[in-house]
Amino acid sequence: MLLVDQVTKSYRTPRGELPILTGISLSLDRGAAIAVMGPSGSGKSTLLYILGALEAPSSGRVTLGGKDPYRMGEREQAAFRNREIGFVFQDHSLLPQCSVLENVLAPTFVAQESGDGAAAATRAHALLTQVGLGDRLDHRPAELSGGEKQRAALARALIRNPALLLCDEPTGNLDRAAADTVADLLLKLHAERNTILVVVTHSAALAARFPVRYEMSEGRLVKQ
């Protein structure tokens, strides 16, 4: 379960504190999927980074599976994030010098605990086949279309079977056809793996496919 309890976030500026998030509370069980919409600068991405253990809240608490990543040391937190949380960003963030297969396997290379490389490679092959890239394993990102890059990024996000999948504008750079394909795969793989899925998007078409939708307004989450 993902629990968010009265989370706030503000930044210091020369003119004083700038509040971004105000009293965010949320509870999501495994299998839940929500979309968060709102104008640019409303705090959507900030919330996503806090949920993903990338940026600490100013106050409040976030726990995933009963564990608070912000009470962990830096190394323990990084290992927790790598193991329990998958990310898909608007910019695919694939390593240009690595093949598609190597990119998908990257989270397993940096894992703190030792693992079975052969098993990870098998999972990567299976995921890439599921997202329609089974014949592109040795290609570099520059040889892929925008939609293919996002599909590879989705496979990478799921390689360690995370409990929480966070997506920041996953279809924002894609044309309608490619966006529909990525959305189909995202929801299908989420359902198969019973993840907790949180998607931040400007796309009304993407948000409409989610059973639960929120609007970020004045630093708060408002259920639609």
Side-chain angles (χ1 to χ4, degrees):
M1 176 181 286
L2 174 67
L3 288 175
V4 183
D5 184 23
Q6 291 297 310
V7 161
T8 71
K9 184 66 179 182
S10 60
Y11 297 99
R12 291 183 180 179
T13 74
R15 297 185 179 182
E17 291 287 317
L18 176 65
I20 303 297
L21 301 177
T22 306
I24 300 290
S25 292
L26 193 64
S27 174
L28 298 174
D29 291 319
R30 290 295 292 255
I34 69 169
V36 180
M37 299 189 70
S40 296
S42 62
K44 303 186 305 297
S45 293
T46 299
L47 175 61
L48 209 69
Y49 298 155
I50 291 173
L51 299 184
L54 291 171
E55 184 171 353
S58 298
S59 66
R61 193 176 183 201
V62 176
T63 61
L64 179 61
K67 297 181 179 179
D68 183 346
Y70 296 108
R71 294 188 177 182
M72 299 175 181
E74 185 176 344
R75 183 171 295 183
E76 183 185 4
Q77 184 189 78
F80 176 85
R81 186 168 52 239
N82 180 271
R83 182 179 63 251
E84 299 292 344
I85 306 171
F87 297 91
V88 180
F89 298 104
Q90 183 172 354
D91 175 0
H92 52 80
S93 300
L94 299 175
L95 300 172
Q97 72 275 23
C98 294
S99 69
V100 169
L101 179 59
E102 290 166 340
N103 268 286
V104 172
L105 286 170
T108 70
F109 297 154
V110 300
Q112 293 296 314
E113 66 271 15
S114 60
D116 186 341
T122 298
R123 291 198 308 275
H125 277 84
L127 276 166
L128 285 166
T129 297
Q130 279 189 283
V131 299
L133 295 175
D135 59 347
R136 310 297 293 275
L137 303 182
D138 297 324
H139 288 237
R140 297 292 189 268
E143 300 173 293
L144 303 180
S145 69
E148 288 171 335
K149 290 172 185 175
Q150 282 301 79
R151 284 186 266 152
L154 176 56
R156 179 185 58 192
L158 292 169
I159 187 62
R160 302 209 68 207
N161 296 315
L164 176 61
L165 181 58
L166 302 175
C167 303
D168 193 356
E169 298 287 358
T171 62
N173 287 339
L174 306 179
D175 61 35
R176 182 59 183 268
D180 286 345
T181 298
V182 169
D184 288 343
L185 287 167
L186 175 63
L187 291 166
K188 178 176 182 289
L189 291 169
H190 149 71
E192 289 178 355
R193 285 160 174 74
N194 198 39
T195 63
I196 301 167
L197 175 60
V198 180
V199 172
V200 162
T201 182
H202 283 107
S203 170
L206 177 58
R209 302 182 65 166
F210 283 74
V212 180
R213 295 177 293 279
Y214 289 87
E215 181 83 14
M216 186 68 76
S217 177
E218 298 182 347
R220 298 182 181 275
L221 275 181
V222 180
K223 195 170 184 179
Q224 299 299 291

